[in-house]
Amino acid sequence: MADRLLLNQDQIRRAIVRIAHEIMEHSRGIDEVVLVGIHTRGVTLAQRLSYRIGEFENAKPAVGSLDVGLYRDDILGGAKPLMHPTNIPVKIEGQLVVLVDDVLYTGRTIRAAMDALTDFGRPRQIQLAALIDRGHRELPIRADYIGKNAPSSEDDIVRVRLQEIDGTEEVVIARNIP
């Protein structure tokens, strides 16, 4: 089966603009919002959200990056995860932290991200923004902000491709055929 397009470049842009507006509507003020992107594509999405919020609010929320590799509970065979730098540039104590990821699937990455955040302080609240929610949760986790719900089969693979990382801009779904 060939890849099936879920979102094109313009649809991704519109989803990010919509999520940015929703974050602004549900916060006390942008100065209390910290966007924390989960490596790798969540970081790029968090940067884009900050930029869009800055267009509307004349102030951008701080953007951090978070690697959750050491906090995962689903690494198979004792494999060592590929590590990326974690950078939280501001104190998160008492702030609204919006975790940003590209695809919400089982919820295990988000659980690991919440565990990792506790190393940096205790936010007033943690919310979740995901470009794609594909279902199949294994943990009781839900996104506060979703770009697109994309119900999928367990055998499907959702690929988010962003210009800054992949040189193209799209979200596709493909069947994983063993």
Side-chain angles (χ1 to χ4, degrees), residues 67-72 75-76 78-84:
D67 187 290
V68 300
L70 295 177
Y71 296 86
R72 296 196 63 98
I75 301 296
L76 299 175
K80 292 185 179 183
L82 176 64
M83 299 302 294
H84 299 89

Side-chain angles (χ1 to χ4, degrees), residues 99-153:
L99 286 172
V100 182
D101 205 4
D102 56 350
V103 178
L104 176 57
Y105 182 34
T106 63
R108 293 192 175 278
T109 298
I110 304 309
R111 189 225 30 97
M114 290 189 292
D115 286 349
L117 274 178
T118 62
D119 287 347
F120 296 92
R122 186 177 187 275
R124 171 177 53 83
Q125 184 179 16
I126 299 173
Q127 295 180 347
L128 174 59
L131 183 61
I132 302 293
D133 183 347
R134 65 172 289 190
H136 303 287
R137 225 63 91 237
E138 294 175 4
L139 299 171
I141 290 175
R142 66 167 179 78
D144 299 279
Y145 313 105
I146 301 169
K148 181 174 182 68
N149 283 298
S152 61
S153 161

Side-chain angles (χ1 to χ4, degrees), residues 81-98:
L82 176 64
M83 299 302 294
H84 299 89
T86 290
N87 178 26
I88 310 289
V90 296
K91 291 184 178 183
I92 63 170
E93 194 78 29
Q95 300 286 82
L96 166 61
V97 173
V98 180

